[in-house]
Amino acid sequence: MGLPSPASCWIALVSVLLVCRAIVCLGVPDPSVRDHLMQEEAFRQVGGGVLLTEPERRLSERLHKLKEQEMAGPQFPPAMHFFKARSLIQQSPIFRLLQMMPKGAALHIHTSSLVGVDWLVKNVTYRPHCYVCFTADQSVRFIFSAKQPIPQPGCSKWTLLEALRRELGNVTGFDRSLMQNLTLFTADPETTYPSQNVVWSKFEQTFSAVLGLLRHAPVFKDYLYQGLTQLYQDNIIYVELRTDLSETYELDGSTHDKSWCLRTYQEVSRKFAAQHPDFLGARVIFTVRRNLSASKVREAVQSAITLHKEFPEVMVGFDLVGHEDTGRPLWYFREALSLPMKLGVTLAYFFHAGETDLEGTEVDGNLLDALLFNTSRIGHGFALPHHPVAKELSRKMGVAIEICPISNQVLKLVSDLRNHPAAVLMSEGHPLVISSDDPAAFGTTGLSYDFYEMFVGIGGMSSNLGTLKELAINSLR
Ligand SMILES: *[C@@H]1O[C@H](CO)[C@@H](O)[C@H](O)[C@H]1NC(C)=O
Ligand SMILES: *[C@@H]1O[C@H](CO)[C@@H](O)[C@H](O)[C@H]1NC(C)=O
Ligand SMILES: *[C@@H]1O[C@H](CO)[C@@H](O)[C@H](O)[C@H]1NC(C)=O
Ligand SMILES: *[C@@H]1O[C@H](CO)[C@@H](O)[C@H](O)[C@H]1NC(C)=O
Ligand SMILES: *[C@@H]1O[C@H](CO)[C@@H](O)[C@H](O)[C@H]1NC(C)=O
Ligand SMILES: [Zn+2]
């Protein structure tokens, strides 16, 4: 046998290592080579190639110093649950600078969670004809009605809120409990939401509770306007809202269809832009739930095609939403999703994909499938760094990933945001945008909170003003 024995292999290996060590010991690595490699890394990251003007460079240095101070502090917000970190972030000078910064577009927000719960309770539930009922599992439902509404299965008798509040006298605590029904935000998130399934089930409850308010036609118009106002105040000039366009209703119980809904988006967006000339507008991505049957999704795609034809300016595309892990994978809907191609029409896709930590499961195939269906962007892409081929494809196709850091933390994919997988994408200069997903449910408004987590937590000391600039520019691209 000509093969060397394991022992002689071992000896050879050890002697090679000793020789190599000796070389390194004799001379420190060439500092210019080191500088060059470090510059190469810095250049590759998001914003690494952005040239800064002199004042921008000074601002970037100032941000760098502020970040050093924040990291040296006793509590580092990105390492904490956002619900506990929010008040600290509000005091952060970096956060205040981010609020002032033009952030471009918000490309991943769901209409059902667009407006903060303060406004919903303090403004909407105080309007006349608002009724409430209480479910067996400690939740509430709302409806506006000219006369006593018919009871809803699983809910108590409808009570007029105006009368209930009069009976209660001091309503502070009651109003606070209503707000708690409409958001996930709470002081002790770790004990309240021990698992992904628990937090997702409360998440769905909040949507059911909000829906009765939101679907009242006059409220819906004000709600959209209020939502645009909150975004604009955070220096955002364009938004794409994901929505199922569910029917809205009037006081007498009559209803409006999807076309009415799209017309309303268009009207409110135009009105807002007329009053705020630097605002570019709001558009809609039509969504249905991913737990539906194949035939229902087929109908939805058909209706998306029709709506896009009818409202090309406001309706931009289609997506599937809901808990990805418990929903159906994209591949299951392949017939429905290839319908536009078969009919020779265009329908842009904006799929949620890779919002999962179930690596290697069927659901984990969604990223690749989203790209194979020529998705225009990917919602979340949390799992993307685990998929080198999908990652390359996404880069080659210029498909931006919509990173929603706070959403991923609250829905329990990651706890310390310094460990968010987008750090990898960021350091490689992958096309990324930042968004807030469900601001009301997570207790945020605008994009500044998510920008903070991205800039201070995920990007760490490497991200700079160039990073922020590129993220904002990406969103408008
Ligand atoms: C109303 O109740 C809250 C607690 O629920 C309390 O903090 C507040 O002082 C009360 N206000 C009045 C006017 O009694
Ligand atoms: C929802 O509101 C009701 C009525 O005030 C309250 O009893 C219940 O505790 C609230 N539920 C949550 C989850 O906060
Ligand atoms: C509620 O909001 C509407 C506009 O959206 C505003 O006109 C009205 O004054 C608000 N009402 C209260 C009580 O805040
Ligand atoms: C889909 O999920 C939602 C929310 O959990 C649920 O209300 C609905 O009944 C589900 N639909 C189907 C068809 O399973
Ligand atoms: C995606 O785009 C490519 C290139 O334009 C095209 O060849 C392919 O058929 C498209 N696939 C679908 C499912 O639309
Ligand atoms: Zn989403």
Side-chain angles (χ1 to χ4, degrees):
M1 297 205 339
L3 290 174
S5 71
S8 65
C9 268
W10 177 243
I11 291 163
L13 184 65
V14 169
S15 52
V16 167
L17 285 176
L18 285 175
V19 172
C20 294
R21 265 189 78 128
I23 291 168
V24 174
C25 288
L26 286 176
V28 173
D30 185 342
S32 71
V33 171
R34 179 173 183 268
D35 280 353
H36 176 77
L37 291 175
M38 285 174 81
Q39 273 168 22
E40 172 70 23
E41 282 222 320
F43 182 74
R44 281 199 210 177
Q45 70 168 345
V46 169
V50 172
L51 289 177
L52 298 179
T53 62
E54 189 46 37
E56 283 174 343
R57 220 179 40 73
R58 281 200 301 273
L59 176 58
S60 194
E61 265 164 30
R62 171 139 181 255
L63 283 167
H64 195 86
K65 287 218 179 70
L66 289 172
K67 224 193 274 190
E68 275 172 349
Q69 286 165 14
E70 214 129 306
M71 278 186 180
Q75 286 175 303
F76 186 52
M80 302 160 65
H81 193 291
F82 174 71
F83 295 171
K84 292 184 164 165
R86 188 176 70 175
S87 59
L88 292 174
I89 295 175
Q90 283 163 350
Q91 293 156 28
S92 154
I94 299 177
F95 177 69
R96 275 184 239 123
L97 284 168
L98 289 171
Q99 284 181 304
M100 285 189 271
M101 183 184 90
K103 283 171 287 286
L107 298 178
H108 187 135
I109 296 184
H110 299 267
T111 299
S112 49
S113 197
L114 172 64
V115 181
V117 298
D118 271 48
W119 186 80
L120 281 175
V121 172
K122 294 286 184 209
N123 186 304
V124 177
T125 71
Y126 275 85
R127 297 182 185 201
H129 310 293
C130 188
Y131 288 80
V132 66
C133 71
F134 306 93
T135 68
D137 54 354
Q138 295 279 300
S139 183
V140 292
R141 299 289 179 269
F142 298 98
I143 195 169
F144 284 87
S145 177
K147 54 182 205 305
Q148 178 68 30
I150 301 155
Q152 194 174 299
C155 215
S156 70
K157 185 173 157 291
W158 288 108
T159 313
L160 193 62
L161 265 170
E162 217 177 313
L164 184 60
R165 284 200 174 102
R166 221 178 297 127
E167 227 169 84
L168 287 172
N170 181 357
V171 297
T172 315
F174 175 69
D175 282 355
R176 205 176 302 140
S177 80
L178 291 186
M179 285 180 204
Q180 263 153 26
N181 273 281
L182 303 177
T183 181
L184 290 173
F185 197 87
T186 168
D188 56 347
E190 286 94 354
T191 42
T192 312
Y193 311 120
S195 69
Q196 286 183 12
N197 283 341
V198 170
V199 74
W200 268 94
S201 124
K202 170 74 199 280
F203 196 34
E204 300 288 356
Q205 279 280 13
T206 66
F207 290 134
S208 306
V210 168
L211 218 60
L213 298 173
L214 177 55
R215 288 179 48 224
H216 184 39
V219 170
F220 179 66
K221 291 183 184 172
D222 290 352
Y223 177 93
L224 283 183
Y225 197 89
Q226 180 71 16
L228 298 187
T229 307
Q230 289 180 356
L231 291 173
Y232 185 77
Q233 283 167 350
D234 197 43
N235 285 304
I236 290 150
I237 54 170
Y238 174 75
V239 58
E240 282 181 7
L241 292 163
R242 282 168 162 92
T243 168
D244 62 1
L245 299 171
S246 51
E247 66 180 19
T248 52
Y249 67 94
E250 298 286 350
L251 269 188
D252 62 5
S254 62
T255 59
H256 304 291
D257 63 3
K258 291 186 169 54
S259 296
W260 181 93
C261 209
L262 279 171
R263 263 197 309 280
T264 304
Y265 274 97
Q266 198 158 18
E267 276 164 22
V268 173
S269 165
R270 279 188 189 152
K271 183 174 150 205
F272 191 88
Q275 283 155 4
H276 308 84
D278 52 340
F279 188 76
L280 299 179
R283 295 203 283 187
V284 164
I285 296 167
F286 174 50
T287 63
V288 293
R289 313 190 64 93
R290 60 194 334 136
N291 66 354
L292 296 184
S293 66
S295 63
K296 284 272 181 248
V297 169
R298 195 187 160 85
E299 278 169 34
V301 170
Q302 245 149 359
S303 122
I305 292 170
T306 314
L307 291 169
H308 178 61
K309 232 178 262 166
E310 206 181 334
F311 299 94
E313 271 173 46
V314 62
M315 147 79 193
V316 293
F318 181 78
D319 184 16
L320 291 157
V321 300
H323 192 192
E324 206 168 322
D325 290 352
T326 54
R328 293 187 160 117
L330 289 177
W331 192 242
Y332 177 84
F333 300 115
R334 58 192 177 278
E335 292 296 324
L337 299 178
S338 40
L339 203 59
M341 187 71 165
K342 270 190 208 119
L343 298 173
V345 297
T346 54
L347 177 67
Y349 291 135
F350 299 86
F351 291 125
H352 277 72
E355 187 187 8
T356 183
D357 54 10
L358 297 181
E359 285 155 37
T361 63
E362 214 182 2
V363 151
D364 197 25
N366 279 347
L367 280 167
L368 192 59
D369 292 333
L371 291 162
L372 290 176
F373 277 106
N374 291 332
T375 195
S376 299
R377 295 193 301 268
I378 287 176
H380 296 290
F382 184 86
L384 193 64
H386 300 285
H387 295 278
V389 174
K391 198 168 80 171
E392 268 169 46
L393 258 179
S394 139
R395 195 182 183 119
K396 211 160 65 195
M397 294 163 71
V399 170
I401 312 297
E402 302 158 349
I403 306 286
C404 308
I406 293 171
S407 170
N408 297 153
Q409 189 193 48
V410 173
L411 298 176
K412 298 185 86 76
L413 287 172
V414 58
S415 54
D416 182 332
L417 282 170
R418 290 172 297 185
N419 298 332
H420 193 290
V424 176
L425 302 176
M426 223 168 152
S427 64
E428 294 171 342
H430 202 90
L432 303 177
V433 296
I434 306 300
S435 208
S436 54
D437 207 7
D438 299 279
F442 307 143
T444 69
T445 56
L447 296 183
S448 291
Y449 290 97
D450 286 279
F451 260 90
Y452 174 89
E453 301 284 17
M454 189 77 175
F455 182 60
V456 180
I458 302 177
M461 291 312 297
S462 324
S463 58
N464 54 33
L465 192 67
T467 317
L468 296 173
K469 250 181 121 170
E470 181 153 325
L471 288 171
I473 291 167
N474 281 352
S475 73
L476 296 171
R477 222 175 256 156

